[in-house]
Amino acid sequence: MKNILVIGSTGQIGSELTMKLRTGIPGSLVVAGYIPGAEPKGVLLESGPAEVADVCNAKQLAAIVDKYDIDTIYNLAALLSAVAERLPLKAWDIQMNGLLNILEIAREKNVAVFTPSSIGSFGESTPKVGTPQDTIQRPSSMYGVTKVATELLSDYYHFKYGVDTRSVRFPGLISYTTLPGGGTTDYAVEIYYAAVKGEEFVCPIAAGTYMDMMYMPDALDAAVAIMQADPSKLVHRNSFNIASMSFDPEGVAAAIRKYIPDLKMRYEVDPVRQHIADSWPDSMDDSCARAEWGWAPKYGLDEMTRDMIENLKKKLL
Ligand code: AKB
């Protein structure tokens, strides 16, 4: 992993992953891929090359791979779960046709590919607690359908053509740098912003709805570690369960109230998001990731809450 293209470099994960790769991998060249309207700014723009990289434009991607002699692609282009329910054909186009473009280029030009999967790849018939690595995946959302298909297609390219595809199933990701957009787990970020700004939080997810969540530094570590793992140790590839904490809205509100006691929250449940959340696991079993490539998260709910509040205070107040 030396010459890297990050597709979706200005999104919630991409904006931080691009910087982590640029600063954390000595001698690396990291191209920030973006689409018009989501241009990189500030340090992301100044710290390395940037190129328009639309997953739906195979020629454009191939030209970037040739220009920079790319050996690894982080494919972060996706519509998140709630917005994908509104725009299912667009979600299919980006998530599936875009992935196919990338995998074909990877096959021809010997490039390794990371395309994240998600807790969204599971569905109502999946065991909800301690969801195993290998289990039933029959999601009912378009996002979930594309995530299962992403896992299968990525494994297909590995076994059929030897493409080095690897992936993790991300929980809801929480960060203070770039906001997510259109996900079911977005509430778990928004509640921190409301708390720090002293605003009442209107929660779109019902009390008692547990989902896996993760602090961004752990998610970034996972994205790098899986691509650096010894391939001979990998029994699985697409995609590994990774977990660090699971909570419902009351749980995260209680954690925040240790630091901001007057946080007010009321519920206005969004039926689309709630339906999706009800179909996702409460908590995943990540023992395969731990055994095969040494996955070990650093942040629990309390450590994350302390860090989120400290950094959001600097950013917002
Ligand atoms: C979403 O809520 O859609 C994403 C996810 C869990 O994949 N954050």
Side-chain angles (χ1 to χ4, degrees), residues 178-238:
T178 308
L179 283 164
T184 301
T185 57
D186 293 10
Y187 91 86
V189 178
E190 290 157 0
I191 190 171
Y192 284 97
Y193 276 74
V196 169
K197 287 197 251 174
E199 293 169 359
E200 180 188 45
F201 180 62
V202 182
C203 188
I205 298 293
T209 310
Y210 282 81
M211 288 183 273
D212 275 298
M213 301 283 178
M214 184 172 290
Y215 199 30
M216 188 60 85
D218 279 332
L220 300 178
D221 281 350
V224 175
I226 181 70
M227 295 312 281
Q228 291 180 325
D230 175 352
S232 70
K233 303 253 162 61
L234 298 181
V235 179
H236 299 84
R237 276 185 170 261
N238 300 283

Side-chain angles (χ1 to χ4, degrees), residues 11-274:
Q12 191 202 14
I13 305 172
S15 57
E16 293 192 55
L17 181 62
T18 305
M19 292 312 299
K20 183 179 172 81
L21 293 167
R22 279 182 179 162
T23 53
I25 301 191
S28 67
L29 177 142
V30 183
V31 180
Y34 64 95
I35 49 168
E39 285 79 6
K41 295 188 186 85
V43 68
L44 192 57
L45 180 64
E46 286 146 21
S47 57
E51 295 279 350
V52 175
D54 180 349
V55 272
C56 296
N57 187 337
K59 268 198 184 146
Q60 191 178 68
L61 297 181
I64 298 170
V65 169
D66 287 341
K67 180 173 170 186
Y68 295 95
D69 197 15
I70 296 294
D71 57 51
T72 305
I73 294 178
Y74 279 91
N75 168 25
L76 306 176
L79 295 191
L80 293 184
S81 52
V83 76
E85 283 309 284
R86 253 195 305 115
L87 302 168
L89 299 187
K90 190 167 178 196
W92 180 268
D93 199 31
I94 293 172
Q95 267 112 273
M96 299 319 308
N97 296 331
L99 174 64
L100 207 51
N101 287 336
I102 291 167
L103 290 174
E104 272 299 292
I105 291 166
R107 178 172 74 82
E108 280 165 20
K109 299 177 188 291
N110 194 23
V111 174
V113 181
F114 173 93
T115 308
S117 187
S118 156
I119 51 174
S121 69
F122 299 112
E124 285 86 351
S125 50
T126 303
K128 245 183 149 23
V129 177
T131 303
Q133 170 67 37
D134 300 310
T135 186
I136 301 163
Q137 289 180 282
R138 303 284 296 172
S140 50
S141 68
M142 178 50 100
Y143 182 70
V145 169
T146 64
K147 286 299 170 191
V148 177
T150 292
E151 295 187 8
L152 293 173
L153 199 58
S154 300
D155 267 348
Y156 180 81
Y157 268 72
H158 174 65
F159 292 116
K160 177 122 179 155
Y161 302 118
V163 178
D164 187 1
T165 55
R166 310 176 186 195
S167 168
V168 297
R169 293 179 182 135
F170 280 135
L173 299 182
I174 296 164
S175 63
Y176 57 84
T177 303
T178 308
L179 283 164
T184 301
T185 57
D186 293 10
Y187 91 86
V189 178
E190 290 157 0
I191 190 171
Y192 284 97
Y193 276 74
V196 169
K197 287 197 251 174
E199 293 169 359
E200 180 188 45
F201 180 62
V202 182
C203 188
I205 298 293
T209 310
Y210 282 81
M211 288 183 273
D212 275 298
M213 301 283 178
M214 184 172 290
Y215 199 30
M216 188 60 85
D218 279 332
L220 300 178
D221 281 350
V224 175
I226 181 70
M227 295 312 281
Q228 291 180 325
D230 175 352
S232 70
K233 303 253 162 61
L234 298 181
V235 179
H236 299 84
R237 276 185 170 261
N238 300 283
S239 179
F240 282 93
N241 285 0
I242 54 168
S244 59
M245 65 186 93
S246 169
F247 56 72
D248 82 326
E250 292 297 323
V252 65
I256 293 172
R257 284 191 187 110
K258 284 190 205 157
Y259 302 92
I260 305 177
D262 52 359
L263 166 67
K264 292 191 180 46
M265 174 164 79
R266 73 183 161 82
Y267 290 92
E268 243 175 56
V269 172
D270 168 9
V272 174
R273 283 184 163 85
Q274 186 62 42

